[in-house]
Amino acid sequence: QARQQATQMAASGNFREAVRRLYLAALLRLAARELLRFDSSLTNREVLARLEATAPARRHLEPVVETFDRVWYGEREPDAATFHAYSREIDALLDERVEAGRG
């Protein structure tokens, strides 16, 4: 559902909120699969730091966090290209094989 909302927001030009929705959905999915503990009191960097350095998902979570922070905290206004690249990175992060440690 978050993916659909993000796609709708992106289609209407609200790329910033679309990026946010994808990020939150990804964190919740990773938490549901017990790959990380979702704690809203943690910063994005703290969430990343809690993921083992050798975890397969980490190589995708790092650019996801970096892009989210730049977009959400105003360093970069996202455009369609940013959103689509971000969406692909989220897909890679949530890939079943990566999550399970086989990717």
Side-chain angles (χ1 to χ4, degrees), residues 21-89:
R21 295 218 181 197
L22 283 181
Y23 180 66
L24 292 175
L27 289 181
L28 291 173
R29 183 161 171 193
L30 292 172
R33 295 192 174 195
E34 298 181 355
L35 292 171
L36 60 81
R37 198 172 126 240
F38 183 75
D39 181 343
S40 61
S41 70
L42 297 176
T43 68
N44 297 322
R45 298 289 173 185
E46 289 170 332
V47 168
L48 183 59
R50 288 189 171 194
L51 189 62
E52 290 183 32
T54 58
R58 186 172 177 121
R59 71 184 166 108
H60 295 290
L61 185 58
E62 285 183 84
V64 164
V65 166
E66 289 170 9
T67 299
F68 177 81
D69 282 352
R70 281 194 312 272
V71 165
W72 195 249
Y73 297 109
E75 294 176 25
R76 178 177 182 183
E77 187 63 32
D79 56 13
T82 302
F83 173 75
H84 292 300
Y86 190 72
S87 182
R88 286 190 301 274
E89 197 66 48

Side-chain angles (χ1 to χ4, degrees), residues 2-34:
R3 162 89 49 195
Q4 183 180 13
Q5 290 173 349
T7 300
Q8 290 170 344
M9 290 185 170
S12 69
N14 190 351
F15 299 110
R16 185 172 186 260
E17 185 62 30
V19 164
R20 177 181 170 272
R21 295 218 181 197
L22 283 181
Y23 180 66
L24 292 175
L27 289 181
L28 291 173
R29 183 161 171 193
L30 292 172
R33 295 192 174 195
E34 298 181 355

